[in-house]
Amino acid sequence: VLIANIEEYAPIVYTPTVGLVCQNYSGLFRRPRGMYFSAADRGEMMSMVYNWPADQVDMIVVTDGSRILGLGDLGVQGIGIAIGKLDLYVAAAGINPQRVLPVMIDVGTNNEKLLKDPLYLGLQEHRLDGDEYIAVVDEFMEAVFTRWPHVIVQFEDFQSKWAFKLLQRYRDTYRMFNDDVQGTAGVAIAGLLGAVRAQGKPMIDFPKQKIVVAGAGSAGIGVLNAARKTMARMIGNNESAFESARSQFWVVDAKGLITEERENVDPDALPFARKTKEIRRQGLKEGASLAEVVREVKPDVLLGLSAVGGLFSEEVLEALKASTSTRPAIFAMSNPTKNAECTPEEAFSIVGDNIIFASGSPFNDVDLGNGLIGHCNQGNNMYLFPGIGLGTLLSGSRVISDGMLQAAAECLAAYMTEEEVVKGVIYPSISSIRNITKEVAAAVVKEAIDEDLAEGYRDMDPRELRKLSQDYLPSFFGPK
């Protein structure tokens, strides 16, 4: 049913409905649908993993419930996210449903309401932190990879302060990725490249785009790092290219524009802090408001990853009218729907018909009158993560490299036809998700082979994989 009606049912098994389910999960609980590893299980996880009845697990989606969508800390109730994501792995990537495993790492919750709720299913104590927290996740990773050496672990909805640390800690030794940091970034990159195409320019012009980013959490920084790397690859892929790409971004958080004058700036955001003399020239200062920054920078792209609903106010959107771009792009990417920075109606009615609009949650297209349609593109992680997972699985790659993620994003950006892009359609229809997943997986496999990471899958060793030409890859791996 899900495969045949994916466009209709994806919003039920996934954003936005899954958010509501997670908020009420303890009161809806019927049966465990995954594994729960709690802080009280320390020292036992290696034996616990053998309680799961499947001899082979291909995909694990794990969360600690600390930052579910834009809804905050929902503790063990966040398991709903892992279940929903794996539904999409089955539907979009054709992964065997007997071989997926949703996991909750329960280290407590800082949500005071849940700490007092008699129905709450998890540990009713404050979250573990520091080395104690890392020790729990370390033990979990060691346990699952001991039992299932070929599994892929997707980290999902970990709070920013841990998302990056855990990604850096594990990515070179385990087959894992973080969907909020890397999946969101890949989908945003594909959209940003699509927006360049929609302006009638080649994708290679991406490094000239001026981008204002609202939000400096794990998603915001993940997108910034990926966009900067993409720009650098296009203009020479060396140290000076990487440095010059930095100057295309202006990052605004809750305290305003981030500059080098900011005290206690998050180390992950520090590379994007604007230099004082640069911003003086532009008539800006530390902590300048989003509207001021948009007014002075006149950006090509306004990118929202703030989890603050309505952040793109009338004032901000009015300021964007001064953009120097032939076709400014507005990405209101925060989930669920109520957290979107603005609605497509607001964007088209204030900034004008000639814009590109994308959001993280589904919205309807806007009727602009005169037979014109304002397309609302849903920049949804489901375009990429199933293909990244499938491609990694089928290549047998030891790790998931930046190059594999980049290949996935570029494949998605190139998926749209010129006619579609000119109309302002920069993401494909969800109904073609299986085909998109197939193409993305093939791009990931090819990159894994090129980087010499592929170790083959089941009966196919890396030599045979190399023999498969790129044309043949999608038809060979595609879900039937």
Side-chain angles (χ1 to χ4, degrees):
V1 170
L2 183 58
I3 290 167
N5 305 280
I6 188 96
E7 202 152 5
E8 193 178 343
Y9 290 133
I12 295 172
V13 298
Y14 189 51
T15 181
T17 313
V18 72
L20 191 62
V21 171
C22 289
Q23 285 174 303
N24 299 288
Y25 196 78
S26 290
L28 302 169
F29 185 80
R30 296 285 179 277
R31 61 187 171 90
R33 294 173 59 191
M35 284 195 83
Y36 295 76
F37 295 87
S38 102
D41 296 321
R42 277 174 283 191
E44 304 289 340
M45 292 183 199
M46 193 62 87
S47 53
M48 284 171 68
V49 286
Y50 288 92
N51 294 340
W52 189 254
D55 288 335
Q56 181 55 47
V57 170
D58 291 334
M59 287 301 317
I60 288 175
V61 175
V62 60
T63 182
D64 68 352
S66 55
R67 186 207 59 82
I68 297 299
L69 301 174
L71 303 169
D73 183 343
L74 296 182
V76 295
Q77 303 189 152
I79 187 84
I81 291 288
I83 295 165
K85 291 272 177 180
L86 288 166
D87 282 339
L88 294 177
Y89 264 113
V90 173
I95 302 279
N96 180 339
Q98 307 295 318
R99 290 174 168 227
V100 301
L101 171 57
V103 171
M104 166 55 62
I105 297 180
D106 180 9
V107 290
T109 177
N110 293 339
N111 182 326
E112 294 302 326
K113 190 172 155 217
L114 296 178
L115 288 170
K116 296 188 184 82
D117 183 350
L119 286 180
Y120 179 63
L121 293 166
L123 291 177
Q124 284 186 302
E125 51 196 57
H126 284 105
R127 282 186 175 276
L128 282 186
D129 210 355
D131 292 344
E132 280 191 290
Y133 173 82
I134 287 180
V136 172
V137 189
D138 275 355
E139 189 183 337
F140 160 75
M141 290 295 275
E142 196 180 336
V144 292
F145 280 94
T146 300
R147 179 163 187 205
W148 301 295
H150 300 300
V151 74
I152 297 158
V153 176
Q154 173 173 323
F155 277 61
E156 193 71 46
D157 287 355
F158 282 70
Q159 59 186 321
S160 302
K161 77 173 202 177
W162 288 118
F164 287 101
K165 283 197 182 91
L166 296 174
L167 179 60
Q168 294 321 115
R169 187 173 183 84
Y170 302 129
R171 68 173 303 187
D172 297 329
T173 35
Y174 292 118
R175 303 168 72 177
M176 60 78 66
F177 68 107
N178 180 304
D179 186 40
D180 307 294
V181 176
Q182 296 165 299
T184 304
V187 170
I189 297 299
L192 292 168
L193 294 171
V196 176
R197 289 181 67 198
Q199 293 167 5
K201 297 174 184 162
M203 283 202 255
I204 203 83
D205 274 7
F206 178 52
K208 298 176 186 163
Q209 298 270 300
K210 292 182 292 189
I211 301 174
V212 170
V213 181
S218 61
I221 300 294
V223 169
L224 280 161
N225 286 328
R228 183 182 179 184
K229 276 184 192 147
T230 306
M231 285 182 176
R233 275 173 74 143
M234 289 177 168
I235 51 176
N237 211 9
N238 51 31
E239 202 52 48
S240 71
F242 194 59
E243 185 45 44
S244 82
R246 182 193 63 78
S247 62
Q248 298 303 110
F249 302 95
W250 287 258
V251 186
V252 180
D253 67 1
K255 296 179 182 160
L257 179 64
I258 300 177
T259 72
E260 56 189 9
E261 292 170 26
R262 174 80 60 97
E263 288 171 19
N264 304 325
V265 69
D266 177 350
D268 293 313
L270 191 59
F272 297 97
R274 298 299 298 196
K275 296 195 168 28
T276 309
K277 59 176 188 291
E278 283 177 343
I279 54 165
R280 282 213 185 108
R281 273 204 310 272
Q282 288 165 332
L284 290 167
K285 59 181 190 304
E286 161 62 39
S289 73
L290 181 59
E292 287 175 81
V293 174
V294 172
R295 201 171 295 121
E296 298 303 327
V297 173
K298 304 180 172 46
D300 299 279
V301 180
L302 177 57
L303 179 56
L305 291 149
S306 65
V308 179
L311 181 69
F312 295 169
S313 61
E314 189 170 347
E315 184 189 9
V316 170
L317 292 171
E318 282 287 349
L320 188 62
K321 284 163 94 168
S323 165
T324 50
S325 171
T326 51
R327 196 170 193 185
I330 298 167
F331 287 76
M333 301 297 270
S334 294
N335 287 320
T337 316
K338 67 180 179 62
N339 289 8
E341 284 77 7
C342 68
T343 66
E345 283 87 355
E346 290 162 347
F348 283 103
S349 67
I350 295 172
V351 188
D353 295 354
N354 193 33
I355 60 167
I356 301 292
F357 182 86
S359 58
S361 284
F363 283 98
N364 292 327
D365 289 343
V366 179
D367 183 352
L368 303 172
N370 309 332
L372 297 173
I373 297 289
H375 286 282
C376 178
N377 296 280
Q378 190 187 354
N380 194 314
N381 287 23
M382 71 183 279
Y383 288 123
L384 281 192
F385 72 78
I388 293 168
L390 180 63
T392 304
L393 180 72
L394 296 174
S395 68
S397 176
R398 297 188 289 282
V399 292
I400 299 172
S401 69
D402 283 337
M404 288 158 72
L405 296 158
Q406 175 98 18
E410 288 178 7
C411 171
L412 178 58
Y415 189 85
M416 311 303 302
T417 65
E418 283 307 316
E419 294 76 24
E420 288 170 315
V421 171
V422 167
K423 286 183 191 154
V425 179
I426 55 169
Y427 289 116
S429 143
I430 298 270
S431 58
S432 50
I433 190 70
R434 277 171 87 84
N435 197 44
I436 295 158
T437 298
K438 183 168 81 169
E439 300 283 342
V440 169
V444 170
V445 171
K446 182 172 185 300
E447 183 65 25
I449 294 169
D450 293 348
E451 291 185 35
D452 216 17
L453 293 169
E455 295 187 350
Y457 177 68
R458 292 196 188 159
D459 309 330
M460 180 164 289
D461 68 18
R463 286 190 307 270
E464 284 181 85
L465 262 180
R466 279 194 189 88
K467 280 186 214 154
L468 290 174
S469 72
Q470 179 60 6
D471 302 338
Y472 189 50
L473 269 173
S475 57
F476 183 81
F477 285 143
K480 303 294 184 282

